[in-house]
C-alpha cells in the first residue's frame, strides 16, 4: 500500500517552521466507486449475521449481498457489492478477515469477470400493452414465467446495469412487484478462488 | 393436533393422576392437586405446548419443568457424587478445560442456569473461584488478571442480566485487545428463542464486540469449543471470546475428549495469524530507518502483548531513536532510559507530541493511531513517513495511510529488523537529541503540576500520584480508572516495568480500577497493587470492596476525591464555556464506607499527610483505602481539544495563576 499524497522524500531535512506541508490523506476520503468482493466463509451458524453486523458496525454501505453454497461442503460463498473509495473497501476486506469464519476475501473490481443477477418483475399488462412488453422482454433476453389477463411475470438476468435498463423500460407499463437477487460474480479464465483456498 | 399418551417421562397418566409420575426419586404418593381443582376423572389433560406430541414439544416441557425446579437429575447427580461415581457432565468439561488452559483463578457470579457448574466446582479444588459482587466486576477482574499475567482471564455469569452485566467488561477487553474467555449459562436449548425467564440473545449482543463467540447446545461440543475459545483469545491479536452454554448442555453426560493443539488449529482454517514480517517489507523499513534524520519509535500495547521490551530497547539503542508510547504502551520502556521520550497524545507530554509533529519517520509497533493519539489526521505528523508494524492487518492503513506496512508480531519483527538497521553513533544524532532534550526540559517545567494548586498548599492529584509511584519504588501494579485520575497516573507515577500500568484505554470504562485491580492483585500477588480511582469511577463499582475483604485481596484503593466528575468539569470549563451541568458529584463518607466493609482506611487532605497515608495503606496486610481529598478544580494539561491537531495543545486555562 502506498500513500498517495504524502510525497515527502525520505532523508530530506524536516523544516517544521517553514513551508506548510499538505494535509495528510485521511483513509476513506478518496473517490467513491462500486466494488465487488467475493468471500468464502465457513458455513456455520450466524456467519451471515457476523458479516452483516461487521459491515453495519464499520459503516460500510452494502449495495447487495448474495449467499450460496459452493462445490465444497461446509463452505459458503458471498458476493458483496459495496461503494467506497479503494482504501475503505480494502479496509472492509481486512475487517472481514478478522472474522474467524471467513476463509478468503477477494476484491474482483479490477478483474475481468462474469457478473449476473436475476430479477423477477411482475408487470401490469393489458391486451394492448402485452405485445409491447413482450417485445421489450425479447430484446432484453428475458423470459415470461407467468401470465394472467392483468399481469405478466418476467425473469431476466444480466448485470446490475442491464437489469436497471430493463426495469426502466417496463416501468411505464406499471410494475406491480420487483425482486432482485443481487449480483453474483465469477472471474473469467481458469483461476479459481476455491482452488486458491485449497492450496 | 394430537396428544400423546404416556409419551415422555413425567407426563401424567391417562387418568389425570399425580404429577411427575415418571420421575425416579420423587415421592410416589404425592397428594394430587386440591380436590376442587382436580380434573374430572377420565378427562384428558390439555397439553399447551405448541406442537404437542413431537419430540421437540416433549423437550420444551422437560425444560420448562427444570426451569421451575431442579428435578431429580440434579438430585441424582448429587447422590452419585457422594458415592463417588458421578458421570462426567458438561459442567465438568468446563472445569477440566480451565485447568488444562492453566487458569487458576476465575471470577464469577452464580444464577439459575449456571448452577450446574457451581454444583461440580467443589470437585475441582485446583480452581480458585472468586465470588464478585457484580458481573461487571468479574469481567474487569478477569481483564486485570490477564493484563498483568499475559494469561487468558476468565469470567463466568448466568444468563440474562448476568450476561448483560458482563458486556461492559467484555467491551473493555475488546477495545484494549485483552485475552479473555467469558462464559455464560443460557436457558435449556429447547427454550431458546421463547423469551424464557432470564433469556436474552447474549450471543447477538456480544457478536460485534468479541473476537469470536459461540453458543453451545451439546456437551459433546464443549471440549472443542472451549479449547478453540482459549486458542483464539490468546493467539495473534488477543481479545475476548464469549462462550454461551445452555443449561442442559452443562448437565448433559459426555465422554468427548479434549482436542490436541493440532486438532484445534485444523478446525480453524480461517484463523492463521501472520507472525513474521515479510522480508521485503523489513528491508524497506530498514532503508527508511537508515535514511531518517528525525525518527521516532512509537510503542503501543502490542509491544507488551508480544513481550518485546528488550527488543525495543535494543532497536532504539542501536539506531539511537527516541521512543514515545501510547497510553497502553506505558511500561514498554523504562521511563528513566535516556531514549525514553514519554507518553503521547491528547494529554501526553508536549515534548513527545512535538517530536512526533516534527519527525520525518514514525516507526509504530503494536498501536492503532487512535484519535486520542493523532488528533486531526490531516495535520498529524505532517513531515513523517510511517512504518507501521501490527499483528492485525486491519489496523494498518485504517486511521492513517502508511508508507511501509508490516504485518507481524512486534517481538519477531523487531528481532528480524535489528540486524538490518545500521548502528548509529550518538554523535550523528547529536543535534536532534539535543533539541529533544531541550524540548523535554521546557515542557516538564511548564506543564508540571497542572493548575499550580500545589503552590498554595492544596492537595493536588499529580503530587499524590508522584508520591505513590515513589513510595512504592515504581514496583507496584497501578490500575487507573478513567478520567483525570487516569491521565495523572499515566503522566506522573513513573513506570519502570512492563505490565505494571493497567488502564481502560479504548473503551474508557469508568469503574474499571477497583475490580481490575482485584484481578491484577490475584494475578501478580508478588507485587503491591494500587487502584487509582476518581470519586466518580469509584462509586460505580465500590461494591467490590466486599470481594476484597471476603477473599482477602490486598488491593490498595486510592480515591482521588475532588467532589466532581473532574474530566467532565474540565471539558465543560474549556469546551462548553463553563456550563457545569452534572459535574458536581456528592460522595459518601469514604472512611465510614470502608469501615462498614471492614477495610482499614485513612484520609489525607494536605500534601504533608500524603506520605503517612500511603505508608499506612502499605502497612496493612490486606486491602486498604485512602481518601485523598484533592483540590476541586485542577485540570490535566496539556490538553488537545477534540478535532484539533497535536500542535494545538492547550497548556493553561484562565485562573488566578495566569
Amino acid at each position: 500500500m502506498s500513500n498517495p499524497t504524502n510525497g515527502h522524500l525520505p532523508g530530506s531535512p524536516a523544516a517544521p517552521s517553514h513551508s506548510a506541508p499538505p494535509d495528510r490523506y485521511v483513509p476513506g476520503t478518496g473517490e467513491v466507486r462500486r466494488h465487488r468482493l467475493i468471500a468464502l466463509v465457513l458455513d456455520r451458524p450466524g456467519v451471515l449475521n457476523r458479516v452483516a453486523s461487521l459491515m453495519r458496525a464499520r459503516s460500510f454501505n452494502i449495495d447487495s449481498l448474495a449467499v450460496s453454497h459452493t462445490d465444497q461442503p461446509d463452505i459458503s460463498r458471498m458476493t458483496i457489492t459495496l461503494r467506497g473509495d479503494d482504501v475503505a473497501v480494502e479496509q472492509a476486506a481486512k475487517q472481514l478477515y478478522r472474522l474467524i469464519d471467513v476463509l478468503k476475501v477477494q476484491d474482483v473490481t479490477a478483474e475481468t469477470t462474469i457478473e449476473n443477477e436475476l430479477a423477477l418483475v411482475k408487470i401490469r399488462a393489458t391486451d394492448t400493452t402485452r405485445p409491447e412488453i413482450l417485445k421489450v422482454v425479447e430484446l432484453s433476453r428475458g423470459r415470461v414465467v407467468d401470465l394472467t389477463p392483468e399481469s405478466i411475470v418476467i425473469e431476466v438476468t444480466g448485470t446490475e446495469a442491464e437489469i436497471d435498463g430493463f426495469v426502466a423500460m417496463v416501468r411505464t407499463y406499471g410494475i406491480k412487484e420487483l425482486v432482485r437477487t443481487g449480483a453474483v460474480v465469477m472471474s473469467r479464465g481458469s483461476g479459481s478462488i476455491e482452488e486458491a483456498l485449497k492450496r | 393436533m394430537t396428544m400423546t399418551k404416556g409419551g415422555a417421562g413425567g407426563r401424567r397418566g391417562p387418568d389425570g393422576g399425580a404429577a411427575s409420575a415418571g420421575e425416579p426419586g420423587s415421592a410416589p404418593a404425592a397428594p394430587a392437586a386440591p380436590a376442587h381443582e382436580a380434573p374430572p376423572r377420565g378427562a384428558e389433560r390439555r397439553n399447551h405446548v405448541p406442537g404437542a406430541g413431537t419430540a421437540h414439544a416433549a423437550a420444551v416441557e422437560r425444560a420448562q419443568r427444570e426451569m421451575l425446579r431442579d428435578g431429580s437429575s440434579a438430585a441424582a447427580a448429587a447422590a452419585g457424587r457422594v458415592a463417588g461415581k458421578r458421570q462426567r457432565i458438561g459442567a465438568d468439561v468446563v472445569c477440566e478445560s480451565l485447568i488444562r488452559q492453566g487458569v487458576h483463578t476465575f471470577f464469577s457470579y452464580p444464577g439459575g442456569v449456571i448452577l450446574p457448574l457451581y454444583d461440580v466446582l467443589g470437585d475441582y479444588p485446583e480452581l480458585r473461584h472468586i465470588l464478585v459482587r457484580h458481573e461487571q466486576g468479574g469481567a474487569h477482574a478477569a481483564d486485570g488478571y490477564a493484563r498483568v499475567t499475559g494469561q487468558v482471564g476468565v469470567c463466568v455469569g448466568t444468563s440474562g442480566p448476568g450476561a448483560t452485566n458482563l458486556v461492559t467488561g467484555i467491551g473493555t477487553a475488546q477495545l484494549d485487545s485483552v485475552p479473555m474467555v467469558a462464559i455464560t449459562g443460557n436457558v435449556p436449548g429447547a427454550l431458546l428463542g421463547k423469551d424464557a425467564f432470564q433469556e436474552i440473545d447474549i450471543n447477538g449482543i456480544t457478536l460485534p464486540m468479541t473476537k469470536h463467540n459461540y453458543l453451545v447446545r451439546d456437551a459433546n461440543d464443549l471440549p472443542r469449543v472451549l479449547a478453540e475459545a482459549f486458542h483464539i483469545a490468546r493467539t495473534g491479536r488477543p481479545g475476548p471470546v464469549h462462550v454461551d452454554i445452555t443449561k442442559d448442555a452443562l448437565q448433559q453426560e459426555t465422554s468427548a475428549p479434549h482436542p490436541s493443539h493440532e486438532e484445534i488449529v485444523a478446525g480453524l482454517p480461517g484463523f492463521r495469524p501472520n507472525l513474521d514480517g515479510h522480508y521485503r517489507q523489513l528491508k524497506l523499513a530498514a532503508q527508511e530507518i537508515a535514511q531518517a534524520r528525525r525518527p521516532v519509535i512509537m510503542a503501543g500495547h502490542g509491544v507488551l502483548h508480544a513481550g518485546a521490551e528488550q527488543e525495543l530497547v535494543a532497536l532504539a539503542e542501536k539506531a539511537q531513536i527516541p521512543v514515545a508510547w501510547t497510553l497502553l504502551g506505558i511500561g514498554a520502556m523504562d521511563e528513566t532510559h535516556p531514549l525514553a521520550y514519554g507518553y503521547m497524545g491528547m494529554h501526553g507530554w508536549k515534548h513527545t507530541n512535538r517530536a512526533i509533529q516534527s519527525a520525518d519517520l514514525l516507526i509504530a509497533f503494536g498501536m492503532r493511531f487512535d484519535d486520542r493519539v493523532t488528533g486531526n489526521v490531516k495535520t498529524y505528523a505532517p513531515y513523517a513517513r510511517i512504518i507501521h508494524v501490527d499483528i492485525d492487518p486491519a489496523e494498518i492503513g485504517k486511521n492513517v495511510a502508511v508508507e511501509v506496512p508490516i504485518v507481524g508480531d512486534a517481538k519477531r519483527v523487531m528481532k528480524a529488523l535489528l540486524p538490518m538497521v545500521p548502528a548509529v553513533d550518538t554523535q550523528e544524532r547529536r543535534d536532534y537529541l539535543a533539541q529533544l532534550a531541550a524540548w523535554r526540559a521546557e515542557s516538564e517545567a511548564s506543564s508540571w503540576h497542572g493548575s499550580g494548586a500545589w503552590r498554595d498548599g492544596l492537595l493536588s492529584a499529580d503530587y499524590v500520584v508522584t508520591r505513590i509511584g515513589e513510595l512504592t519504588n515504581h514496583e507496584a501494579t497501578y490500575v487507573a480508572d478513567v478520567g483525570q485520575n487516569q491521565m495523572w497516573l499515566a503522566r506522573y507515577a513513573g513506570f519502570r516495568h512492563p505490565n505494571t500500568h493497567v488502564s481502560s484505554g479504548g473503551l474508557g470504562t469508568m469503574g474499571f480500577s477497583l475490580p481490575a485491580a482485584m484481578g491484577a492483585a490475584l494475578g501478580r500477588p508478588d507485587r503491591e497493587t494500587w487502584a487509582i480511582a476518581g470519586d466518580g469511577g469509584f462509586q460505580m463499582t465500590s461494591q467490590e470492596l466486599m470481594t476484597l475483604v471476603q477473599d482477602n485481596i490486598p488491593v490498595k484503593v486510592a480515591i482521588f476525591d475532588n467532589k466532581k466528575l473532574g474530566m467532565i468539569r474540565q471539558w465543560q470549563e474549556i469546551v462548553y464555556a463553563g456550563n457545569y451541568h452534572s459535574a458536581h458529584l456528592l460522595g459518601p463518607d469514604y472512611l465510614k464506607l470502608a469501615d462498614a466493609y471492614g477495610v482499614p482506611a485513612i484520609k489525607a487532605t494536605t500534601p504533608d499527610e500524603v506520605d503517612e497515608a500511603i505508608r499506612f495503606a502499605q502497612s496493612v496486610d490486606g486491602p486498604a483505602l485512602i481518601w485523598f481529598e484533592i483540590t476541586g478544580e485542577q485540570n490535566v494539561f496539556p490538553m488537545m481539544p477534540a478535532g484539533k491537531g497535536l500542535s494545538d495543545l492547550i497548556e493553561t486555562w484562565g485562573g488566578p495563576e495566569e
Side-chain angles (χ1 to χ4, degrees), chain A residues 6 8 16 21 24 50 91 94, chain B residues 213 378 380-381 383-384 394 396:
Chain A
N6 191 10
H8 180 67
R24 189 175 272 283
R50 287 180 201 281
Q91 173 65 202
K94 290 198 287 192
Chain B
N213 68 2
K378 285 183 184 169
Y380 178 68
Y383 305 97
I396 296 176

Side-chain angles (χ1 to χ4, degrees), chain B residues 408-442:
Chain B
D409 170 80
K411 185 176 183 134
R412 295 202 192 192
V413 170
M414 284 185 198
K415 261 192 170 156
L417 205 51
L418 189 61
M420 299 165 79
V421 299
V424 172
D425 195 59
T426 4
Q427 281 303 306
E428 289 176 53
R429 293 250 198 264
R430 193 185 50 206
D431 292 349
Y432 175 46
L433 293 176
Q435 183 176 41
L436 293 192
W439 283 353
R440 186 207 295 257
E442 189 187 317

